Amino acid sequence: MTYWLFKSEPSTWGWDDQLAKGEAGEEWDGVRNYQARNFMREMKLGDKGFFYHSQKERAIVGLVEVCAEAHPDSTTDDPRWECVDIKALRPVATPVTLDQIKSDPRLQDMVLVKNSRLSVQPVSEAEWTVICALAGVAP
């Protein structure tokens, strides 16, 4: 299994919006960065991810799962852009902030620390385990 982090501005698409989509999930659409798109092309059904609120909150607030592999993004006619669908699994018991992540030496190489602007990014298995522990959820 591979792990990921999906960033969203809560004013545009927040954790509550994702939860409301239930088992069907929702397209992770609107991504217009080639590196993020390429990461989505690598995703497989069942891959897990963190749902991260950007802007003011800057924290991991939930766990998600890829429920549809890469397909054309319905928000554009441009065939270069693809997306996956994700569904909410559960909220974290304790949100894990960007400041916590940056101050934890076990997470110093995390993409979120080195390239916090990338909206879709990989998370290593070790990082996944550490953050799940900080968040109070089982990996």
Side-chain angles (χ1 to χ4, degrees):
M1 179 179 302
T2 308
Y3 301 101
W4 306 96
L5 183 137
F6 297 86
K7 289 179 60 180
S8 185
E9 298 174 0
S11 60
T12 303
W13 185 260
W15 176 248
D16 290 338
D17 299 307
Q18 190 66 51
L19 271 175
K21 290 298 180 174
E23 280 297 307
E26 181 71 8
E27 280 189 344
W28 198 255
D29 58 28
V31 174
R32 299 297 181 263
N33 173 286
Y34 287 107
Q35 188 176 18
R37 181 217 49 201
N38 291 344
F39 286 141
M40 287 193 286
R41 286 179 172 175
E42 293 176 28
M43 294 178 187
K44 302 292 180 212
L45 286 177
D47 280 359
K48 303 282 191 288
F50 292 123
F51 192 100
Y52 179 92
H53 277 168
S54 60
Q55 291 182 328
K56 293 179 185 174
E57 193 172 342
R58 298 186 316 184
I60 292 169
V61 296
L63 301 182
V64 297
E65 181 178 296
V66 175
C67 60
E69 293 182 5
H71 57 83
D73 183 328
S74 68
T75 63
T76 181
D77 292 328
D78 188 332
R80 292 177 295 172
W81 303 113
E82 297 176 25
C83 63
V84 296
D85 294 9
I86 61 171
K87 66 179 182 179
L89 293 177
R90 61 188 175 277
V92 298
T94 305
V96 180
T97 67
L98 180 59
D99 288 340
Q100 283 177 278
I101 291 168
K102 285 182 172 181
S103 67
D104 192 316
R106 300 170 294 176
L107 302 171
Q108 67 184 357
D109 293 325
M110 193 169 179
V111 175
L112 185 63
V113 172
K114 297 187 175 288
N115 186 0
S116 63
R117 296 186 57 82
L118 191 60
S119 63
V120 177
Q121 51 190 257
V123 174
S124 74
E125 186 172 359
E127 293 162 349
W128 179 265
T129 302
V130 168
I131 291 174
C132 284
L134 294 170
V137 294

